[in-house]
Amino acid sequence: MQDAVAAQVQTTLRVAAKNVVAEGVVSLVLKAADGARLPDWTPGSHIDLVLPGGLTRQYSLCGDRWDAYEYRVGVLREPDGRGGSAYVHDRLKAGDTVGVSRPRNNFPLVPSKDYLFIAGGIGITPLIPMIHQAELTGADWNLVYGGRTRGSMAFLDELTPYGGRVHIVPEDEQGRPDLHAWLGEVRDGLRVYCCGPAGLLDAVENACAPWPAPTLWTERFSAPDQGAPVRDEPFDIVLARRGATVTVTPDMTVIDAMRTVGVDLLSSCMEGVCGTCETTVLDGVVDHRDALLTAEDRAAGDCMFPCVSRSCTDRLVLDL
């Protein structure tokens, strides 16, 4: 996993275009005002948009990764959100500027000859570049794309050229996809990539339960319930670079505690799903409560997401 300091590097980009691409979904094309080349990215990457008022939200890159001069994201209006999507939909316009982080990838496309992509709603966005990559490498692949209605499903026109590999499943027309039918018999080499709402992800995880562990890769918009923390008493965070120690009480996050001593670590989601606040752990045992780390990452114990994760031990020493 990468260091949080690198993830916080950002620049200011101009909104070159804003378009409605489905009911409740707009796309933004972002470019440097001076026409400069933008940092490269890989399929599955996302960026943070830093909006006025301190709002920071992450969105998957869904454009052409070989175009070095623009980024594209798709933004779903979230009626019950915290204001970021509403700002993008209602106030942000072509010509405005926004802060943008460097791309980072918590959902990497691993090499394979056989992919099944499963998207729900706006979850199509990280899968579009993956499909492009699968085509370039000559892999066998299929996309199952579900949504409430056909009109609510973004970027359908871009998927049409792929013909029979793309399977559009609007719920009001066809119900929900038969995941077991799409998966078929357990076989070596299949890689399943799924992004969408929690209900879809839970269903796909259940359907893939008989398959070997490397089969399924998911990206969540919100973290699943992690249950109660390992400990309910205070613990200390030692900030190794600053030579400071701060106590984290049961009613605060690690990020909140660090802010009391002037360490304002950027975090976009505050739910353990975006990866913005990833921090290196030098000592102690982490109570991991994110939706990002693999079992291997957790066993290594050398990083954490302090927006949600806590400590199993009396103290954690962080590389901050």
Side-chain angles (χ1 to χ4, degrees):
M1 304 295 289
Q2 65 186 14
D3 189 273
V5 174
Q8 295 186 56
V9 175
Q10 67 181 59
T11 188
T12 299
L13 300 183
R14 178 176 58 86
V15 179
K18 177 182 177 181
N19 299 294
V20 176
V21 291
E23 297 167 7
V25 182
V26 297
S27 69
L28 302 177
V29 175
L30 305 169
K31 297 184 178 184
D34 61 358
R37 181 188 178 99
L38 302 179
D40 294 337
W41 56 281
T42 53
S45 295
H46 65 271
I47 56 173
D48 287 333
L49 294 190
V50 184
L51 304 168
L55 294 173
T56 303
R57 299 292 181 267
Q58 74 273 2
Y59 298 104
S60 296
L61 289 167
C62 61
D64 179 2
R65 63 179 288 241
W66 304 110
D67 185 337
Y69 298 93
E70 70 175 42
Y71 292 154
R72 186 182 69 169
V73 297
V75 181
L76 171 69
R77 180 189 287 276
E78 298 278 5
D80 300 322
R82 294 174 289 160
S85 68
Y87 185 93
V88 170
H89 276 255
D90 298 337
R91 300 180 62 182
L92 196 65
K93 60 185 184 299
D96 289 349
T97 57
V98 291
V100 177
S101 71
R102 293 183 65 88
R104 59 187 181 279
N105 198 339
N106 302 316
F107 192 39
L109 184 68
V110 297
S112 178
K113 296 181 179 180
D114 188 8
Y115 296 104
L116 175 61
F117 300 110
I118 303 174
I122 197 64
I124 189 62
T125 50
L127 302 187
I128 291 174
M130 294 186 181
I131 290 169
H132 293 168
Q133 184 70 15
E135 278 285 286
L136 286 174
T137 60
D140 187 20
W141 64 270
N142 281 278
L143 167 68
V144 180
Y145 181 12
R148 293 180 294 101
T149 65
R150 195 174 294 269
S152 70
M153 300 168 71
F155 305 115
L156 290 180
D157 56 332
E158 296 185 19
L159 299 171
T160 300
Y162 295 117
R165 292 185 183 272
V166 174
H167 310 275
I168 306 301
V169 189
E171 188 172 351
D172 64 337
E173 299 176 19
Q174 303 177 37
R176 296 180 178 178
D178 184 342
L179 298 175
H180 291 282
W182 282 108
L183 284 165
E185 297 296 323
V186 175
R187 61 189 184 274
D188 291 335
L190 177 67
R191 296 295 177 262
V192 179
Y193 277 79
C194 180
C195 185
L200 173 65
L201 290 165
D202 291 343
V204 172
E205 288 179 350
N206 289 334
C208 287
W211 292 67
T215 299
L216 178 61
W217 297 72
T218 63
E219 183 167 60
R220 288 182 175 268
F221 301 140
S222 59
D225 183 13
Q226 301 283 357
V230 169
R231 56 185 290 158
D232 58 7
E233 60 266 23
F235 58 91
D236 288 337
I237 293 293
V238 179
L239 306 171
R241 297 190 200 179
R242 291 164 175 79
T245 300
V246 60
T247 298
V248 184
T249 59
D251 61 344
M252 62 170 45
T253 67
V254 173
I255 280 185
D256 289 337
M258 292 193 297
R259 285 172 178 162
T260 66
V261 293
V263 179
D264 194 7
L265 192 65
L266 181 66
S267 178
S268 172
C269 69
M270 291 301 292
E271 296 182 18
V273 297
C274 75
T276 308
C277 65
E278 182 182 344
T279 302
T280 298
V281 177
L282 301 177
D283 191 32
V285 180
V286 179
D287 177 10
H288 293 290
R289 310 181 63 76
D290 62 272
L292 291 166
L293 295 177
T294 64
E296 292 78 10
D297 291 330
R298 293 184 178 208
D302 57 2
C303 69
M304 71 178 293
F305 296 96
C307 64
V308 291
S309 294
R310 304 185 69 79
S311 181
C312 298
T313 48
D314 288 339
R315 71 171 198 163
L316 289 176
V317 181
L318 305 184
D319 187 23
L320 289 172

